[in-house]
Amino acid sequence: MDSLPVRIGCLSVGDRTAEQAAAVEWCRSRAARVDAIDVTTESVPPLDADRRMYDVLWWHRDEPVDPDREAIAAAAPAIRGFLESGGGVFLSLHALSAVELLGLDSVPPDAAGTERIDHPSGFAAKAIHSDHPVFEGFVDRFYTLPAGDNRPFARYEAVAPARGQLLGSAVHAGELLPAHKEILSWRVGEGHVYGVGARVEFAANAAGEFSVDRDRFVSNILATLGGDRQPAFTDRPTDAAGFDRLRARLADDHHRPSYHLSPPAGWLNDPNGIIHHDGTYHVFYQYNPMGPFHGTIHWGHATSEDLLTWRDEPVALSPDPDGPDRNGCWSGCAVVDADGTPTILYTGGRGSDQLPCLATAGDDRLHSWRKDPANPIIPAAPDDPAVLSTDDWTAEFRDHNVWAVGDTWYHLIGAGLSDGGGAALLYRGDTLRDWEYVGPLLSGDHNVANTVWECPELLALGETSLLHVSNYRNVRYFLGEPDLSTPEFAVETEGLLDHGALYAPQSTTTPDGRVLMWGWIKETRSVDAQWRAGWSGALSIPRELSIGAAGELVQQPARELQTLRSEPAFDDRVDLSAGEHRSIAATDNAYELRVAFTPPADTALELGLCESPARSERTVVRCRRDEIVVDRSDSTHDPDPDTSPVRMPIDADGSDGISVRIFVDGSILSVFANDRHCLTTRVYPTRSDATGVSVGAPDGNLSVRSLTVWPLAASSTDRSVWNHQDRQ
Ligand code: FRU
């Protein structure tokens, strides 16, 4: 049989193992030419750069690389030469661990060995790569290995390759393990490398269970590497054109937001290091370029001059396998040091430690960052109060908020407490590198075990200060007065910043003195659904925070967003009789709706949003005097997402009524009531035409003083406010 028109050199170090011999035999029954090459005895020419003899070099290795490091390193120049000139290299099982020795990536897999797997296992392609030729013929998931002992594997778990992209992760008995990163690719010169660290075995399962899909998968890899149609697409772009291509891949997803900040693809959580610098807003964010799941956290970066048009910038911080941030560059802030240097303080995760780290900007566009050689700059969590220790972490101690008062820097770090609850711990320093512990500025949630006050932030809102913390469930805020010497925060009032899926917000001050806050909008669908979508998470629209006449917290959408409004799709008063229900508009799901009315007691206004033409999918925002509820029970036919109601108490009794602004953007729905109460949630209608808007008065007559719907799209053909046009 000659089904693979590919000339393959099968590499080994010394004698071939039974598994390697089986792989050679497997090739011989298919490929145009197959030679077994012992890299310790064969001369270099077969691997030479002119590719006279082979299209693909396949290194299949069922034993750890360690004993053969020298031999592998000795073969590296020839293999690199082969790649540089356009050859293809396939590294399977433990050979994936050789990427560093071969000079292909500075970060090798962090997990390798043998494992027992009690069930069939295989792979799930990443959505963004589902059309990659190595997945030809597969839909979604496929299985290549039956249950068994001593299965060799090498994979990236807690770390990510520095350059390689992830094509697919492991599936065990139907369960997706996204962090088991096993199928990867690299571009080296003109050549390509594919790595598959597990589940391709031949000796014990020549023609057994799952061998059909294994054969197809391995044939796809060898045929692609040996062919002349290599995919050029990468989901780790470093320039504007690359980010454009990445976003374009997800453009048809009607759940993607257009005017909210979203990751180009992959995972996003907290906003970080928000700063207005040299006329530009920089928003960094917790980003996993490996895929839409939390892990291997980098700092993604987006910039804007006007808060309306955003550009993707290259990833700003990446974990360093030799540094204290090996397992992730976690949340932090950016400040400008006394000498004018933009400086990031962030949490580095390594093993069971999470400790404060510092990086300084190397250029004005904040693209390059130099990590401080003295990292971590605080060597351990304080011990009074005792900081919570968990199975994962020696001390739950992370996230940074830094500001200056005169010549003194202050620094808040979030923590969990051994005795329950969380705390915002205060430090003081003359420089950004030398910190003295002052004590907890505030602690709370004492009756909640194993919680952490994440991402604390202290903001000056005129005479009043606002402290907020994210306690795993909500974002709690406290208004009052801090005493930075005791330290103590005298709480006058408190509340929730948002009643829905907003978390870990962070703020900056605009040149005209406004405090703007962004938060992470979580997904409310499963890990699997996020994997299938190819992206996860978004940042909220910026909110302006201030203190109202009665000393209350005011939260309003940043005024800049009004510039996005186009001609209203509806703008009128509406008089509804009891039981009446009226469709008013259908636009893309990218709009702002503003409604003002004074409901009699026990009477609700129902706003139907994201309605399909037959109204089988619709989300109802039910507004009463004392409460707004987002009823998601019919929001989607998809059984996956959370469709529980989201409630927000409001206090419109005796006031001028209710004024609500709602922002819909793809799957994001945010409600601002009376400039005070906020609720952010997610809805995932299956139909892309679930874009209708209606109003109804189920309980009694109701007059709506004004109702306006503004489409917020830049234009109907290009909904996205992401723009690379003007980048140099
Ligand atoms: C909050 C948080 C932070 C941490 C980061 C990790 O969502 O858990 O405490 O620094 O996310 O991504």
Side-chain angles (χ1 to χ4, degrees):
M1 200 193 345
D2 183 9
S3 56
L4 278 172
V6 180
R7 298 167 305 164
I8 305 171
C10 293
L11 308 184
S12 66
V13 179
D15 290 343
R16 291 189 294 283
T17 63
E19 174 59 30
Q20 287 175 320
V24 172
E25 283 318 305
W26 183 93
C27 284
R28 289 216 161 107
S29 65
R30 301 171 159 73
R33 167 182 183 152
V34 181
D35 288 332
I37 303 171
D38 173 356
V39 298
T40 61
T41 58
E42 302 282 339
S43 57
V44 168
L47 315 181
D48 210 354
D50 65 7
R51 299 176 59 212
R52 271 166 307 180
M53 301 178 71
Y54 304 110
D55 305 304
V56 179
L57 297 177
W58 179 9
W59 203 324
H60 182 64
R61 197 178 156 98
D62 55 322
E63 292 182 338
V65 295
D66 257 357
D68 291 326
R69 295 180 75 86
E70 270 175 38
I72 295 170
I79 293 174
R80 281 196 60 109
F82 178 77
L83 274 165
E84 302 280 354
S85 67
V89 169
F90 177 29
L91 303 172
S92 48
L93 305 181
H94 285 289
L96 184 66
S97 293
V99 287
E100 190 188 15
L101 287 172
L102 294 173
L104 308 178
D105 200 290
S106 59
V107 186
D110 57 323
T114 56
E115 60 188 344
R116 176 189 160 79
I117 307 180
D118 293 328
H119 34 253
S121 60
F123 301 103
K126 254 166 70 177
I128 204 108
H129 294 301
S130 57
D131 62 349
H132 194 290
V134 303
F135 299 123
E136 274 182 31
F138 299 122
V139 179
D140 202 10
R141 293 169 184 201
F142 56 99
Y143 289 81
T144 56
L145 193 68
D149 279 329
N150 292 323
R151 299 301 195 194
F153 75 93
R155 60 179 162 252
Y156 292 89
E157 286 189 8
V159 300
R163 297 182 49 241
Q165 58 176 344
L166 179 68
L167 302 181
S169 289
V171 168
H172 282 219
E175 189 194 352
L176 171 70
L177 304 178
H180 283 199
K181 300 178 273 291
E182 292 175 350
I183 310 177
L184 298 108
S185 75
W186 286 264
R187 176 96 196 239
V188 180
E190 293 298 302
H192 291 80
V193 180
Y194 294 130
V196 179
R199 299 168 227 297
V200 282
E201 290 181 45
F202 300 87
N205 191 34
E209 230 184 332
F210 307 112
S211 62
V212 172
D213 277 0
R214 174 204 58 198
D215 291 354
R216 168 175 283 174
F217 182 43
V218 176
S219 298
N220 283 350
I221 291 170
L222 295 169
T224 307
L225 283 174
D228 54 8
R229 296 175 62 191
Q230 297 285 342
F233 171 74
T234 173
D235 68 0
R236 300 192 73 177
T238 52
D239 62 5
F243 281 113
D244 282 347
R245 280 194 291 276
L246 190 46
R247 284 191 180 276
R249 290 227 157 188
L250 297 171
D252 289 343
D253 178 352
H254 64 276
H255 297 140
R256 278 280 269 185
S258 60
Y259 58 89
H260 286 75
L261 272 160
S262 61
W267 168 273
L268 168 153
N269 60 301
D270 315 348
N272 291 149
I274 305 175
I275 191 167
H276 188 263
H277 180 66
D278 268 358
T280 300
Y281 288 98
H282 294 260
V283 173
F284 302 88
Y285 52 86
Q286 297 276 284
Y287 177 49
N288 185 4
M290 292 287 99
F293 54 97
H294 190 262
T296 58
I297 291 292
H298 296 52
W299 276 36
H301 184 191
T303 55
S304 175
E305 273 72 50
D306 56 7
L307 298 174
L308 303 172
T309 308
W310 291 92
R311 292 178 299 269
D312 289 307
E313 305 288 354
V315 164
L317 288 182
S318 304
D320 172 359
D322 299 321
D325 57 9
R326 175 179 197 268
N327 299 142
C329 300
W330 282 19
S331 281
C333 63
V335 290
V336 177
D337 203 349
D339 67 356
T341 309
T343 303
I344 283 174
L345 287 105
Y346 67 102
T347 300
R350 183 181 182 106
S352 55
D353 285 332
Q354 36 184 240
L355 290 167
C357 294
L358 183 147
T360 46
D363 68 302
D364 281 345
R365 297 168 74 188
L366 309 190
H367 281 185
S368 63
W369 292 89
R370 180 178 165 273
K371 294 180 186 170
D372 199 289
N375 283 338
I377 53 163
I378 295 177
D383 47 22
D384 181 21
V387 173
L388 177 68
S389 179
T390 54
D391 289 348
D392 293 331
W393 304 106
T394 311
E396 298 274 356
F397 176 61
R398 57 179 174 270
D399 310 335
H400 308 268
N401 169 220
V402 173
W403 70 99
V405 181
D407 289 339
T408 305
W409 291 105
Y410 288 91
H411 183 174
L412 280 181
I413 301 179
L417 300 177
S418 297
D419 291 340
L425 304 176
L426 184 68
Y427 286 74
R428 182 169 48 210
D430 294 334
T431 76
L432 289 170
R433 289 170 177 78
D434 302 296
W435 297 103
E436 169 201 358
Y437 178 55
V438 188
L441 180 65
L442 188 69
S443 63
D445 286 325
H446 293 289
N447 54 349
V448 186
N450 295 314
T451 192
V452 177
W453 275 13
E454 301 183 295
C455 301
E457 189 180 48
L458 183 69
L459 300 168
L461 302 177
E463 299 293 288
T464 308
S465 288
L466 179 146
L467 174 69
H468 68 80
V469 297
S470 294
N471 67 3
Y472 285 157
R473 298 174 305 284
N474 313 109
V475 189
R476 292 182 66 183
Y477 73 83
F478 307 93
L479 293 179
E481 203 175 325
D483 174 340
L484 300 180
S485 50
T486 326
E488 190 184 4
F489 189 91
V491 178
E492 283 153 25
T493 53
E494 62 172 282
L496 296 184
L497 269 178
D498 195 283
H499 293 262
L502 186 107
Y503 198 73
Q506 200 185 91
S507 315
T508 194
T509 305
T510 61
D512 61 2
R514 291 171 290 146
V515 174
L516 291 186
M517 171 182 276
W518 283 255
W520 165 36
I521 306 177
K522 298 183 180 190
E523 299 293 324
T524 59
R525 53 182 167 172
S526 67
V527 169
D528 277 47
Q530 294 170 50
W531 178 267
R532 285 194 297 274
W535 65 281
S536 174
L539 296 188
S540 67
I541 53 173
R543 297 178 182 179
E544 287 182 33
L545 301 189
S546 57
I547 299 296
E552 80 285 10
L553 175 65
V554 172
Q555 303 192 68
Q556 292 166 302
R559 59 196 68 166
E560 283 84 349
L561 285 161
Q562 294 182 20
T563 319
L564 282 181
R565 292 173 178 169
S566 41
E567 274 304 296
F570 185 92
D571 185 21
D572 210 345
R573 65 174 288 132
V574 186
D575 294 302
L576 296 162
S577 47
E580 189 182 346
H581 179 267
R582 201 184 299 170
S583 283
I584 57 164
T587 72
D588 272 355
N589 271 341
Y591 59 86
E592 175 188 349
L593 180 155
R594 193 181 62 193
V595 61
F597 65 108
T598 305
D602 301 326
T603 304
L605 172 71
E606 281 193 354
L607 296 163
L609 307 178
C610 306
E611 290 190 337
S612 58
R615 299 179 73 237
S616 67
E617 290 189 319
R618 62 193 296 255
T619 298
V620 179
V621 180
R622 202 166 287 125
C623 309
R624 298 181 186 279
R625 272 186 182 188
D626 56 351
E627 187 183 56
I628 293 181
V629 180
V630 180
D631 178 346
R632 299 184 293 173
S633 49
D634 291 325
S635 60
T636 178
H637 292 299
D638 182 351
D640 182 277
D642 180 3
T643 52
S644 59
V646 189
R647 298 175 183 283
M648 169 165 74
I650 61 170
D651 45 11
D653 275 349
S655 73
D656 292 339
I658 307 179
S659 165
V660 177
R661 289 172 71 181
I662 298 178
F663 290 81
V664 171
D665 191 12
S667 49
I668 299 172
L669 194 165
S670 319
V671 182
F672 289 76
N674 288 352
D675 290 341
R676 292 185 52 186
H677 313 282
C678 294
L679 182 167
T680 302
T681 190
R682 306 294 297 267
V683 288
Y684 306 94
T686 59
R687 296 186 59 106
S688 59
D689 60 358
T691 56
V693 181
S694 69
V695 279
D699 317 308
N701 298 347
L702 198 60
S703 285
V704 173
R705 279 199 299 282
S706 74
L707 195 161
T708 312
V709 179
W710 290 277
L712 294 188
S715 79
S716 57
T717 48
D718 175 16
R719 292 183 42 186
S720 174
V721 294
W722 291 84
N723 182 354
H724 292 116
Q725 304 299 319
D726 54 351
R727 188 142 72 167
Q728 314 127 19

